[in-house]
């Protein structure tokens, strides 16, 4: 996505890679996009849409 708009892009999978990519991005003073790969078990907010619509406490029939 960043390449389409002329931004420098980085793909990182570890905290060490994130640190170096962030340092490079800030030093470049240009638009940058850092794509961070999250672990599947990193949290409910990382793409599990089912957690956004919990089951109701009371069944309601309309």
């Amino acid at each position: 996505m960043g390449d389409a708009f002329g931004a420098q892009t980085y793909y990182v999978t570890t905290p060490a890679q994130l640190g170096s990519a962030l340092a490079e991005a800030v030093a470049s003073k240009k638009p940058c996009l850092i794509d961070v790969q999250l672990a599947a078990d990193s949290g409910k907010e990382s793409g599990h849409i089912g957690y956004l619509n919990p089951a109701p406490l009371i069944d309601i029939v309309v």
Side-chain angles (χ1 to χ4, degrees):
M1 180 65 112
D3 291 335
F5 294 99
Q8 176 67 34
T9 59
Y10 301 91
Y11 177 77
V12 300
T13 57
T14 65
Q17 290 175 339
L18 178 59
S20 63
L22 184 59
E24 282 183 39
V26 171
S28 73
K29 297 184 180 180
K30 295 179 182 177
C32 296
L33 176 71
I34 301 175
D35 184 12
V36 179
Q37 178 65 46
L38 298 177
D41 59 350
S42 64
K44 295 177 182 175
E45 64 278 340
S46 62
H48 299 288
I49 192 74
Y51 293 112
L52 297 177
N53 296 313
L57 297 175
I58 302 171
D59 289 329
I60 300 174
V61 179
V62 179

